[in-house]
Amino acid sequence: KAGVTQTPRYLIKTRGQQVTLSCSPISGHRSVSWYQQTPGQGLQFLFEYFSETQRNKGNFPGRFSGRQFSNSRSEMNVSTLELGDSALYLCASTSLASSPNEQFFGPGTRLTVL
Amino acid sequence: AQTVTQSQPEMSVQEAETVTLSCTYDTSESNYYLFWYKQPPSRQMILVIRQEAYKQQNATENRFSVNFQKAAKSFSLKISDSQLGDTAMYFCAFMKYFVKGNQFYFGTGTSLTVIP
């Protein structure tokens, strides 16, 4: 089975721009979670999607949004980029058929905001 | 709110030696799971070991084992016979059950370097 894929792997944007990141989960996984990873902060939970619906949301401003498509692929959008948004964004997919619901991570998208 | 604390930002160990990474968490939940994830320099995060809170027996996966102290809310990872490939960032994670799904909480990570 192919693993979780994320595109693009690297992005450079300037302040004020917006960006869209994409995540394709493992085939059959219907839950997709997004995390922001920064040095010293670890992984901060952004949101989780299941069957095209956002189920959980972390404590991030409304500039961060996401969606999930019928094929379980997910996108994350950040509008009006700020310097502090520079981070590694990780996507994880989960098979709800497994117990516990283990998360499988993608390689991440490294976003740099200049 | 759940919090996960990893008090050792960096650690090093000689190859073939044993090292223990510490993790504490704070929760009022009684039913939850704990995980250790490894993130090598290539960045792909992979699961190392998991522990169900209702199980008293400590989980073991080959050279990796945990010391789970539920009352103390402590979940340390022991790596025996350390290998160069163990060099990575290690994250401790707590998962609780939600009616609407599960949510993970991660610590800030411990950077482990195995020295040849």
Side-chain angles (χ1 to χ4, degrees), chain A residues 70-88:
Chain A
S70 58
N71 62 358
S72 294
R73 189 178 70 85
S74 177
E75 287 183 347
M76 189 193 95
N77 185 75
V78 187
S79 63
T80 318
L81 284 166
E82 301 177 359
L83 294 179
D85 296 334
S86 293
L88 179 68

Side-chain angles (χ1 to χ4, degrees), chain A residues 23-71:
Chain A
C23 171
S24 293
I26 292 172
S27 177
H29 289 194
R30 294 165 60 194
S31 170
V32 174
S33 297
W34 288 90
Y35 296 88
Q36 181 193 67
Q37 183 181 0
T38 54
Q41 293 292 317
L43 278 73
Q44 303 289 315
F45 173 73
L46 281 154
F47 27 66
E48 184 223 1
Y49 285 87
F50 176 78
S51 292
E52 302 177 65
T53 300
Q54 186 181 91
R55 289 205 298 192
N56 289 302
K57 189 177 191 305
N59 189 26
F60 277 81
R63 300 185 297 107
F64 291 82
S65 63
R67 58 177 175 170
Q68 187 180 35
F69 301 94
S70 58
N71 62 358

Side-chain angles (χ1 to χ4, degrees), chain B residues 80-92:
Chain B
S80 305
D81 185 25
S82 296
Q83 301 175 359
L84 297 179
D86 295 334
T87 292
M89 183 73 82
Y90 288 82
F91 291 96
C92 177

Side-chain angles (χ1 to χ4, degrees), chain A residues 4 9-10 35 37 40-43 45 48 55-56 88 90 99-103 105-108 110, chain B residues 33 35 37 39 42-47 50 52 89 91 95 97-98 100-104 106-109:
Chain A
V4 179
R9 293 291 304 276
Y10 302 92
Y35 296 88
Q37 183 181 0
Q41 293 292 317
L43 278 73
F45 173 73
E48 184 223 1
R55 289 205 298 192
N56 289 302
L88 179 68
L90 293 171
S99 179
N101 305 146
E102 180 183 342
Q103 291 197 321
F105 285 85
R110 170 73 64 186
Chain B
Y33 286 90
F35 303 82
Y37 280 89
Q39 188 181 42
S42 65
R43 300 184 315 190
Q44 194 97 28
M45 190 98 69
I46 56 175
L47 177 66
R50 79 188 88 191
E52 294 91 332
M89 183 73 82
F91 291 96
M95 186 195 86
Y97 292 102
F98 257 111
K100 294 194 297 181
N102 306 327
Q103 185 157 342
F104 284 76
F106 286 81
T108 52

Side-chain angles (χ1 to χ4, degrees), chain B residues 23-29 32 68-75:
Chain B
C23 172
T24 58
Y25 58 95
D26 186 24
T27 185
S28 58
E29 305 287 333
Y32 51 87
F68 174 47
Q69 302 288 329
K70 190 172 184 179
K73 298 179 182 176
S74 171
F75 183 61

